Amino acid sequence: MNVGSGPFVGTRLRTGMERFSANAIVVMGVSGSGKSTVGKALAHKLGWKFQDGDDLHPEQNVLKLSKGQSLTDEDREPWLKILHKVLREWTEHHVDGVLVCSALRRCYRTALVGPDLSDSVVFVYLTGSRDLIAERMRSRSGHFMPVSLLDSQLRTLEPPDSTERVITCDVAGSVEEIVEMIVKRVAPRRNMHTV
């Protein structure tokens, strides 16, 4: 995966308060940042379809993660292709949707968007302190990602920059506050011109 290429290269810098048109929102961040909770609440608020990317991991990835082993780029590649296909099908069928995916590295985000969806997708980056995220991970049950992998994810993380279509949200806020902030910054593509 080539980090230096893709739909973000050559795009104009953004100030951080733009309003985006999109038919797909990808809620991203490390495990425990609240992606699924925020993603479901956002999809409900907007009346959009919801898909948790974790549910589409190949079985061998889930097994590896549940044993506390980090995924390699080779492990992630087929999963990212599946998620890109979901985003492409939403666009082709005029479906508005919210997808949850860690999308930790720029090359993963490039793979999700591909050459064909750069104007259709906006990322929501959930960020917060390591201590807060670790505490949330310890308090949840039934998830295959152990707290022991948080530091690995933080080392892998390449935060989105101002050349990407991204809305950054601090997870210290309530779910309702985060969702309201996102809703103010995103409109379905049919309702406004692409930013």
Side-chain angles (χ1 to χ4, degrees):
M1 293 183 192
N2 184 355
V3 178
S5 65
F8 306 120
V9 174
T11 57
R12 67 181 175 84
L13 294 178
R14 301 183 185 281
T15 64
M17 290 309 294
E18 286 82 8
R19 196 145 183 256
F20 298 98
S21 68
N23 78 283
I25 298 171
V26 177
V27 181
M28 61 161 290
V30 296
S31 184
S33 59
K35 296 184 300 293
S36 296
T37 302
V38 169
K40 286 176 186 173
L42 179 61
H44 179 76
K45 176 82 174 180
L46 293 170
W48 289 17
K49 186 176 177 82
F50 174 78
Q51 176 64 61
D52 194 323
D54 282 348
D55 294 341
L56 301 177
H57 262 298
E59 188 176 333
Q60 63 268 26
N61 286 6
V62 174
L63 205 57
K64 196 170 182 179
L65 290 167
S66 65
K67 292 179 181 177
Q69 300 171 3
S70 299
L71 297 179
T72 65
D73 284 353
E74 290 73 29
D75 294 326
R76 287 185 180 95
E77 191 168 352
W79 176 60
L80 292 169
K81 286 180 179 176
I82 292 167
L83 299 183
H84 172 75
K85 182 179 177 190
V86 168
L87 293 170
R88 190 180 69 242
E89 287 176 354
W90 285 352
T91 299
E92 289 172 355
H93 295 100
H94 307 287
V95 173
D96 297 322
V98 176
L99 173 70
V100 169
C101 171
S102 54
L104 298 178
R105 296 183 63 210
R106 186 174 182 128
C107 62
Y108 305 160
R109 297 188 291 275
T110 299
L112 286 170
V113 173
D116 51 343
L117 302 177
S118 61
D119 291 336
S120 303
V121 177
V122 65
F123 289 89
V124 170
Y125 170 43
L126 300 181
T127 184
S129 75
R130 184 211 177 277
D131 291 343
L132 175 61
I133 292 170
E135 180 56 38
R136 289 182 177 180
M137 288 181 79
R138 281 190 284 273
S139 67
R140 68 184 182 180
S141 61
H143 196 278
F144 60 79
M145 179 75 79
V147 180
S148 60
L149 285 180
L150 176 57
D151 288 324
S152 170
Q153 287 212 329
L154 289 169
R155 282 190 302 274
T156 301
L157 177 65
E158 295 171 0
D161 64 30
S162 58
T163 64
E164 299 180 61
R165 287 170 46 97
V166 63
I167 299 165
T168 301
C169 300
D170 189 326
V171 298
S174 70
V175 172
E176 293 77 17
E177 290 169 336
I178 294 168
V179 167
E180 283 306 317
M181 177 183 163
I182 299 164
V183 168
K184 288 177 184 173
R185 303 266 317 273
V186 177
R189 287 194 68 189
R190 62 183 171 272
N191 292 343
M192 74 184 277
H193 295 295
T194 301
V195 172

